[in-house]
Amino acid sequence: MSTTSIFKLNDDCLYEIFRQIKHNCDVENELQNNGHVRVNYSDLINFVISSERFVEAFKLWNYALYKELLIDFESLRYTTIINIDFGKMYDLLHNISNRDKEIYWKLYVNAIKENNQMVILEIKYQPEQYYPEHLDRFQAVIDAIRYKHTLKDLRINVHGYSLQNVPEFGQLEYLRLNIRMDQEDLVQLCRSNPYLFHISFTSTELFGRFTGIVPYCNQLIFLRLTMKTDIDATEYAALAKLPNLKTLILEGYHQEGTLVKLLQGLKGFVKSPIKES
């Protein structure tokens, strides 16, 4: 009896394989009844991502599930808005073999790298457990967006890790960061993006002075900043030199009386009230 490679099967045959694997996953999901539906589809994901041919066939077979299981690599190449939640992705891939995790991440990162239309990128990671591969995954995504000159809005909310060797975007207008950084990296990010008019920096883990950005933020209109804990806030006085600043929101706690120099510098200059919380 002759044999046929699985990679040469027609779509109908592949659809039946998808159907059978999905059925087994559904049965297991009902037995476990733990709510982690995506995790319980790991066998299906594992099979589909093993071949680009299978990925395309699966998209035609069940597009809704294709989207639900984050196998939608193709849309990553063309969408203008990308949201990456590392925690959800690690849960999704929890039961997948290391070999197929590497395949998945290669396809995922390459799709982002090939995207030339990205306008908004949001990266989130609020870990409930430790993932040893996270640092490499996070850095791979950062490297993939290194020269995205279409990017206007960057949002990073990642706890416990640092943003280093920042990419050269050049056209950012919105910057929203909650991540550990060195002053030099933040300054470089502002220096290379002269059109920034909105900055939100809500991490208290900045090593160095935030005011180092002032000479490079002439277009800045909105600034939201979380001050370091119990800090001498006189270091923020230089923020009064931002020529177009209209809204300043300061959060956190500072030593009493140390905001006076900043307030004096802003008196009669800021068009909307300073908000302090």
Side-chain angles (χ1 to χ4, degrees):
M1 178 182 294
S2 62
T3 59
T4 300
S5 168
I6 191 172
F7 298 104
K8 295 182 180 181
L9 293 176
N10 61 38
D11 284 353
D12 288 335
C13 291
L14 288 177
Y15 296 164
E16 183 58 30
I17 293 174
F18 296 151
R19 190 175 295 108
Q20 292 298 326
I21 299 175
K22 181 180 181 297
H23 172 73
N24 292 337
C25 291
D26 288 337
V27 170
E28 183 177 352
N29 189 48
E30 290 177 4
L31 292 174
Q32 293 185 13
N33 192 28
N34 61 12
H36 296 290
V37 176
R38 289 179 174 175
V39 173
N40 293 337
Y41 279 149
S42 59
D43 286 344
L44 183 58
I45 299 169
N46 189 38
F47 178 76
V48 172
I49 66 173
S50 65
S51 165
E52 290 189 16
R53 161 92 168 86
F54 296 166
V55 170
E56 291 303 313
F58 189 79
K59 178 167 62 173
L60 294 173
W61 176 67
N62 190 331
Y63 186 71
L65 189 58
Y66 170 80
K67 297 281 287 186
E68 176 69 13
L69 298 181
L70 300 179
I71 303 175
D72 195 6
F73 303 115
E74 190 64 24
S75 74
L76 283 174
R77 293 184 172 90
Y78 303 107
T79 186
T80 58
I81 302 174
I82 294 179
N83 294 287
I84 302 173
D85 188 328
F86 279 107
K88 289 183 178 180
M89 294 183 71
Y90 295 147
D91 286 344
L92 169 70
L93 302 175
H94 180 69
N95 291 334
I96 292 180
S97 69
N98 288 336
R99 172 186 175 277
D100 289 320
K101 279 183 185 178
E102 291 302 320
I103 293 173
Y104 183 97
W105 279 106
K106 182 178 180 180
L107 292 171
Y108 191 90
V109 172
N110 282 347
I112 293 175
K113 191 172 184 178
E114 293 171 8
N115 184 308
N116 294 316
Q117 303 178 51
M118 188 188 310
V119 176
I120 299 173
L121 174 65
E122 182 174 12
I123 301 175
K124 296 184 290 185
Y125 183 47
Q126 306 297 323
E128 295 182 358
Q129 67 181 82
Y130 174 69
Y131 292 97
E133 69 271 26
H134 173 71
L135 187 57
D136 291 338
R137 303 305 184 199
F138 177 68
Q139 191 59 51
V141 169
I142 295 299
D143 290 342
I145 61 173
R146 187 159 296 281
Y147 301 106
K148 298 298 181 188
H149 296 301
T150 59
L151 192 64
K152 303 290 186 182
D153 188 340
L154 177 64
R155 311 170 187 181
I156 301 180
N157 185 4
V158 177
H159 285 226
Y161 293 86
S162 299
L163 178 60
Q164 300 175 326
N165 301 318
V166 296
E168 296 285 342
F169 299 117
Q171 302 297 321
L172 284 180
E173 297 175 358
Y174 294 86
L175 183 62
R176 312 165 206 249
L177 299 176
N178 182 14
I179 188 171
R180 182 192 303 138
M181 288 191 73
D182 288 331
Q183 174 191 339
E184 292 182 3
D185 287 311
L186 181 60
V187 168
Q188 174 56 28
L189 195 52
C190 294
R191 181 190 292 119
S192 61
N193 292 276
Y195 306 109
L196 279 167
F197 65 83
H198 179 119
I199 294 179
S200 176
F201 192 89
T202 54
S203 172
T204 58
E205 295 185 279
L206 177 70
F207 302 108
R209 290 181 175 268
F210 184 84
T211 50
I213 72 168
V214 170
Y216 311 104
C217 292
N218 292 330
Q219 304 303 315
L220 198 64
I221 294 173
F222 177 98
L223 174 60
R224 179 176 184 173
L225 173 65
T226 298
M227 296 179 288
K228 300 174 186 177
T229 303
D230 196 31
I231 193 173
D232 179 347
T234 54
E235 76 168 66
Y236 297 116
L239 295 177
K241 297 179 181 179
L242 291 167
N244 288 301
L245 190 66
K246 295 181 179 180
T247 300
L248 173 62
I249 301 175
L250 294 178
E251 299 177 333
Y253 300 94
H254 60 282
Q255 296 174 16
E256 186 176 354
T258 58
L259 273 178
V260 172
K261 288 187 177 181
L262 171 60
L263 296 174
Q264 289 175 339
L266 292 171
K267 186 177 180 181
F269 174 68
V270 179
K271 297 179 175 62
S272 62
I274 300 172
K275 300 177 183 179
E276 184 181 348
S277 59

